[in-house]
């Protein structure tokens, strides 16, 4: 089947940086878009960033705009999230996700068909 595997999470101090990576394994598939979501304890999963391969234009949540950068490769089904100027409120489990185009609202978790296991990002003050 298909698995997405995240890496790059960890513990950093406020103001620091991390780069998250997500790579697909298993059977080959063609995604329409790949993105990142995060979920903090006691909170719902929230949209962080997405890139659609047709446009190549990333979309970011307001909370991370100007600090995070998403990039990836359609051919390789990989996606990255460069996180700079990290804040304690960025602390969460970060999930990568891939959409096959079944749904089109890319900021909603239900749009995505494949998910990674999550990687913990902790930002200390």
């Amino acid at each position: 089947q298909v698995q997405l595997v995240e890496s790059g999470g960890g513990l950093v101090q406020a103001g620091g940086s991390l780069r998250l990576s997500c790579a697909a394994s298993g059977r080959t598939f063609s995604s329409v878009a790949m993105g990142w979501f995060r979920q903090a304890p006691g909170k719902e999963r929230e949209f962080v960033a997405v890139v659609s391969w047709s446009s190549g234009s990333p979309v970011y949540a307001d909370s991370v705009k100007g600090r995070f950068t998403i990039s990836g490769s359609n051919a390789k089904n990989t996606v990255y999230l460069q996180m700079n100027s990290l804040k304690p409120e960025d602390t969460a489990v970060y999930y990568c996700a891939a959409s096959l185009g079944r749904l089109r609202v890319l900021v909603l978790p239900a749009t995505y068909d494949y998910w990674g296991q999550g990687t913990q990002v902790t930002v200390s003050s």
Side-chain angles (χ1 to χ4, degrees), residues 12 25 33 49 59 79 90-92 99 102:
V12 297
S25 64
V59 176
V79 66
D90 295 318
T91 296
S99 170
R102 176 175 55 89

Side-chain angles (χ1 to χ4, degrees), residues 23-114:
S25 64
R27 71 184 300 269
T28 302
F29 69 98
S30 296
S31 64
V32 169
M34 294 186 71
W36 292 91
F37 290 76
R38 66 188 183 187
Q39 188 165 22
K43 297 184 179 180
E44 295 185 2
R45 189 169 299 185
E46 68 171 349
F47 168 76
V48 176
V50 64
V51 58
S52 63
W53 307 125
S54 60
S55 70
S57 299
V59 176
Y60 299 96
D62 288 342
S63 59
V64 307
K65 200 171 298 179
R67 300 187 297 120
F68 291 9
T69 302
I70 188 172
S71 62
S73 169
N74 182 28
K76 297 180 179 180
N77 281 322
T78 59
V79 66
Y80 306 94
L81 187 68
Q82 178 66 48
M83 305 186 295
N84 298 326
S85 301
L86 283 162
K87 305 175 180 179
E89 51 261 46
D90 295 318
T91 296
V93 176
Y94 283 70
Y95 299 90
C96 70
S99 170
L100 302 180
R102 176 175 55 89
L103 300 171
R104 289 192 282 266
V105 184
L106 296 177
V107 300
L108 297 179
T111 295
Y112 295 83
D113 301 279
Y114 301 129

